[in-house]
Structures are given as C-alpha cells and as structure tokens.
Amino acid sequence: MSNQTPSLTAQFTDQPFHVMTKPIGPICNLDCTYCYYLHKEELYPKGNKWKMADDCLASYIRQYIDAQPPGTAEVTFAWQGGEPTLLGVEFFEHCVEIQQQYARPGMKITNTLQTNGILLDDDWCRFFLKNGFLIGLSIDGPADLHDAYRIDHQGQGSHAKVIAAIRKLKKFGVEFNALVVVNRLNGDHGARIYRYLRDVGCQYLQFIPIVERSGVGRHAEGQAVTADQFTAFDAAASAVSSRSVLPEQFGSFLCDVFDEWIQRDVGRMFVQIFDQALSAWVGVEPSLCVFRRTCGRALAMEHNGDVYSCDHYVEPDYRLGNLNFVPLEDLVNSGRQQAFGDAKLNTLPQYCLDCEVRNACNGECPKNRFLQTPDGQDGLNFLCAGYRKFFNHVDPAMQQMAALVKSRRPAALIMEQRSATTATTADAATPRSDATPRRNDPCPCGSGKKYKSCCLRQR
Ligand code: SF4
Ligand code: SF4
C-alpha cells in the first residue's frame, strides 16, 4: 500500500458530523470492569438528575437537524450511555415524535442505540422495528470470556441475558451490530469469538480494543498525556492496565478473525475494520474517525446539554459549551473543535508519516498515542505494532478485493479466486492419479526404469 497523502478532504465545516448523545449520562445497570464511561458521574454534582429534561431534548433534536447542511437527505441520531434503555420505551417514542416535528420535508431520520441488552423485551423490539432503529449490542464472546468483565452491580455475569436479547432481536427482525471489546483475556481468541458470534446469528461485528493507561486511575481515558508520561516503544506493556489488550495480541486477534472471514464469509459477514481497510485500499479515505487523517466530527453530548469534543474526551478541558446557551452549530464548528480534529494529523510522528500502512491507520485515535517511536519522538499509538501487523497481513487480499471493487465486481468473488488458486497449486503439486505416463517418463511403479522399459513392456 502506498503511504502517499490522498487529496485534501472537504473543509472542516462542510464535513458531516454526528453527536453521541447520553440521555441518561453514565448511569448503567451493569458495572463492567473496563468501562471508560462509568466514572463520568464525577463530572456532575451529587443529587444530579440524570434523565435529559424535555426542553433540552427538544432543543437538541431541533438544533441537530437545523445544523445539517442544506440538502441533507438523512440524519442519524446516536443514543448511548450509560444504558439508554433505563429511560424506558416511552422516552424514545417521545424522541421520535419530536424528530418528526422538526424533520425537513423529505428528510429521513434514523436512530442508532447502543445497549448492553439486559432490558430488551418484546416491547423494545417492536418499537425498534417499527421505527427502524439500528442497535449496537455489546458482547465479548462466549460466556467464559464475556462474563469476566461484563458484570452487574452484584458481580454476576451478564452473558445469558445478552444471548436472550440477541434471540429477541432476531425474532423481531431488528437490525443489530455486535460490539466486542477486545481485552487481554479474550484477545487470544479471535477465531473462536468470530465463529461463536457468527453461529449465534450476529452478522455485523465491531472490534474495539481496550487501552487503559496505568497510573491514571480506573477507566482512564481522554486525558492529555504529559511529556513525562510517554513510554518507550519497547516498554509498551507497562504503560497500561492488566485488562488492556497488548499491541501484538490485538494484531494477531484481527489477523485470526480475518483468516476465518476470508475463507467463506466475504459478503455474508461484515466486520467494520475490514470494510474500513478495503476503503483505504480502494483509495477512499476511511469513514471511521480513528482511521481518518483528521477527526473532530464525532462529538458527545451529556444529559444536560454539555457538548464535548469526543466521546473519549468527556473531560472538563474538552467541554465546548452547553447547547442550551450556545447554538449547537457554533460549538460543532468552533475553532477549538477544529483544532482538536486537526491535532490528529498535526501531532502524527514522522514514524507514522513514513509508515507503509499509514493511509489505512493514520495513527489511529489520539487517546492511545502515549508511546515514543523507536527514535524517541512522542505521540506513537500504543497499538501501533498490532495495526502494522494486521494491515500488512491483509495487504495481498485487500489488493485483490480492491481490484474487484474497482472493476465493479463484488469483493466476495475473492473467495472463488482464492479457491481456484489453491486448486491450481494443488494440481501442480500433486500428480494426477488418472494421468497416463508417457513412454520416456519414470515408471510409476517406482522401479526407477523408464516406463517403456518396465511396465509398458509387460503390458
Ligand atoms: S479522538 Fe479518537 S475517538 Fe475521538 S474523534 Fe478523534 S479519532 Fe475519533
Ligand atoms: S501507528 Fe503504527 S501502523 Fe499506524 S500509521 Fe503509525 S506507524 Fe503505521
């Protein structure tokens, strides 16, 4: 893959944006050990009401629609938490009503909702189906891997309830993505997790690496890295908690999943990072913020209307303002937010600029950039070794699929091409059992004589 810089992207303010909205703040009915969001309770005073107030909700929906560029055909609202289903179906019925009230003529409104699945029942599924909600469901693999960290407030695993939620979603025909947090424990089981999720009926998968910096408290994320916190490239493991996936481990995890997928599932199973990679190989900048050159168009909003630069930077230093006092559009397009997004590119070390897979990786998310490069420059991503391994591993197949896509053929044809190549190679390596030896060939009986002087004569 070439690491040449693609043509400049659209102006910051012309790029679409979206806001991950936390209508119940960080409040959750689970207590997952690795959750980066639970401690956000500390940002708001004790006794705070976590449910988003009606006027704030209506103002947000109106402003979010109004802030979209003219001609926008579709607007997507993203609901997250905490656990948004704690608000009950009625809350989201109300959201849909307000959306319809403010939608421009002909505009399609869609919703995504991220859930742990614990509360999903028939009523929820009926509502999701009726209103076209796309659901993100968290599951970390089979029970032994999932229940290690995804526990409730009594310390009990949640796996059985998540599987029940998958059955319900499938029964009602609700679209959903499975979100897998890749950690130190499940990080050695890529192929097993992939097969398991495929077998229980998940068709869309996202793998999210967990990286918690050690020494900055539980659930640490989104805090600026000071000069003395950068860690040498070869001391990477000591920089993170024991739950965090290790760079090589993450790379191997993705490679193992890819090797399973490419055999039989292209076009049938959809893995977000594979789609993103294919986009880069086709020559189109990936759409996911972490793999783009710049970011800053994926913001977060808390229950009271506070808007932050990013879901991973819900910290006082990254609070842009409150949409009840400053128009959302002004916050989203502010110079401060643009600087936040540009920093992703401007702080990229030379080591990344020279990297052969830079166009697919782009240094990943700045929150994970707390290593020094081998030559001592700050700002290398903790997961670098894993991404480099993965993107190089998939390079031949990506080239093949990119060629198919560019010639307007389905990428899934790669499976036929690969099996034909395997068969041809096997043909070349294995003598055909029905091949008749020619007169001067070595005799197939193994005598060492020519065929004509051995078995052919006897015939
Ligand atoms: S900081 Fe990371 S997660 Fe946030 S918008 Fe930028 S790349 Fe995306
Ligand atoms: S983080 Fe590593 S793999 Fe990614 S662009 Fe930088 S050097 Fe390349």
Side-chain angles (χ1 to χ4, degrees):
M1 149 170 268
S2 154
N3 66 354
Q4 288 193 341
T5 304
S7 57
L8 285 175
T9 48
Q11 289 292 313
F12 183 74
T13 52
D14 293 338
Q15 294 173 36
F17 73 93
H18 77 275
V19 176
M20 290 185 200
T21 308
K22 322 275 184 178
I24 191 166
I27 304 303
C28 190
N29 48 355
L30 289 187
D31 190 24
C32 301
T33 325
Y34 53 53
C35 180
Y36 68 92
Y37 213 79
L38 292 176
H39 82 296
K40 303 299 179 192
E41 267 186 69
E42 294 156 17
L43 290 174
Y44 294 93
K46 271 207 161 67
N48 175 69
K49 284 198 174 59
W50 292 106
K51 181 180 174 183
M52 184 175 280
D54 219 30
D55 53 348
C56 181
L57 179 68
S59 173
Y60 163 58
I61 291 174
R62 178 182 56 75
Q63 293 194 51
Y64 188 60
I65 292 173
D66 283 353
Q68 305 298 326
T72 302
E74 184 168 339
V75 177
T76 301
F77 286 82
W79 307 100
Q80 275 207 341
E83 176 52 43
T85 60
L86 287 171
L87 289 162
V89 178
E90 310 73 38
F91 179 89
F92 290 96
E93 284 172 341
H94 187 43
C95 291
V96 171
E97 280 166 20
I98 304 172
Q99 289 169 350
Q100 291 313 318
Q101 188 183 334
Y102 290 115
R104 295 177 199 153
M107 180 180 259
K108 184 178 176 201
I109 305 272
T110 53
N111 289 273
T112 65
L113 184 142
Q114 175 61 34
T115 178
N116 57 34
I118 303 300
L119 295 178
L120 295 196
D121 59 11
D122 289 5
D123 287 347
W124 274 112
C125 291
R126 267 187 219 104
F127 169 78
F128 291 150
L129 184 67
K130 181 178 167 205
N131 294 288
F133 272 51
L134 172 65
I135 304 306
L137 185 71
S138 299
I139 178 167
D140 287 358
D144 58 313
L145 300 175
H146 178 97
D147 286 344
Y149 296 131
R150 298 197 64 83
I151 53 175
D152 63 19
H153 291 276
Q154 286 73 47
Q156 300 299 309
S158 57
H159 186 264
K161 288 180 177 161
V162 179
I163 290 297
I166 289 177
R167 292 205 181 105
K168 283 217 180 299
L169 291 167
K170 286 185 69 62
K171 180 178 138 196
F172 281 85
V174 176
E175 261 192 86
F176 69 98
N177 290 329
L179 271 75
V180 179
V181 173
V182 184
N183 53 63
R184 189 84 56 96
L185 185 70
N186 70 3
D188 290 334
H189 302 276
R192 182 182 162 214
I193 290 172
Y194 174 78
R195 286 194 291 259
Y196 176 80
L197 293 175
R198 182 181 61 201
D199 294 347
V200 298
C202 301
Q203 201 184 357
Y204 298 88
L205 309 181
Q206 294 176 21
F207 295 108
I208 300 160
I210 174 97
V211 177
E212 301 171 302
R213 290 212 319 276
S214 55
V216 271
R218 188 187 174 201
H219 318 309
E221 260 203 349
Q223 293 164 19
V225 184
T226 58
D228 58 348
Q229 283 177 329
F230 281 102
T231 306
F233 187 68
D234 55 6
S238 63
V240 294
S241 75
S242 59
R243 290 185 290 261
S244 301
V245 69
L246 293 174
E248 290 279 357
Q249 184 186 29
F250 186 54
S252 299
F253 181 100
L254 294 174
C255 293
D256 290 351
V257 174
F258 186 83
D259 291 346
E260 283 285 319
W261 176 78
I262 200 78
Q263 296 296 327
R264 50 174 276 195
D265 289 334
V266 184
R268 283 194 285 260
M269 293 282 290
F270 301 90
V271 182
Q272 186 186 47
I273 188 170
F274 302 165
D275 289 346
Q276 293 289 308
L278 182 56
S279 184
W281 259 264
V282 168
V284 176
E285 187 176 11
S287 59
L288 202 63
C289 60
V290 294
F291 299 126
R292 291 182 71 81
R293 287 182 302 143
T294 59
C295 65
R297 303 303 276 174
L299 299 92
M301 190 184 81
E302 259 298 340
H303 64 294
N304 66 344
D306 281 352
V307 177
Y308 293 86
S309 290
C310 162
D311 182 39
H312 292 282
Y313 283 83
V314 176
E315 298 290 340
D317 288 348
Y318 297 91
R319 182 181 169 278
L320 298 167
N322 187 297
L323 62 71
N324 293 305
F325 305 103
V326 184
L328 176 64
E329 190 172 3
D330 293 356
L331 299 174
V332 168
N333 294 331
S334 62
R336 202 172 143 203
Q337 182 63 5
Q338 176 154 8
F340 174 86
D342 288 350
K344 187 177 193 295
L345 175 63
N346 297 339
T347 59
L348 201 61
Q350 191 60 40
Y351 187 73
C352 291
L353 294 172
D354 296 339
C355 172
E356 71 282 1
V357 294
R358 181 256 169 120
N359 282 349
C361 176
N362 276 312
E364 208 243 16
C365 178
K367 82 178 170 63
N368 294 334
R369 294 185 189 169
F370 48 84
L371 295 187
Q372 285 180 337
T373 62
D375 52 1
Q377 194 182 355
D378 292 343
L380 181 64
N381 195 297
F382 171 76
L383 294 170
C384 170
Y387 280 119
R388 206 160 189 165
K389 176 178 185 163
F390 167 68
F391 287 127
N392 276 297
H393 178 79
V394 301
D395 178 50
M398 285 294 166
Q399 285 192 35
Q400 219 174 323
M401 285 190 285
L404 286 166
V405 171
K406 284 179 182 169
S407 62
R408 301 185 184 280
R409 287 182 291 165
L413 277 180
I414 190 176
M415 293 184 294
E416 281 173 33
Q417 292 178 343
R418 284 167 65 94
S419 56
T421 309
T422 310
T424 309
T425 312
D427 273 3
T430 315
R432 278 174 45 209
S433 58
D434 63 351
T436 306
R438 285 169 297 187
R439 290 171 53 79
N440 287 320
D441 285 348
C443 188
C445 75
S447 64
K449 298 179 190 167
K450 288 187 176 174
Y451 181 51
K452 66 183 179 190
S453 318
C454 186
C455 295
L456 179 60
R457 176 178 292 174
Q458 287 166 25
R459 282 171 65 187

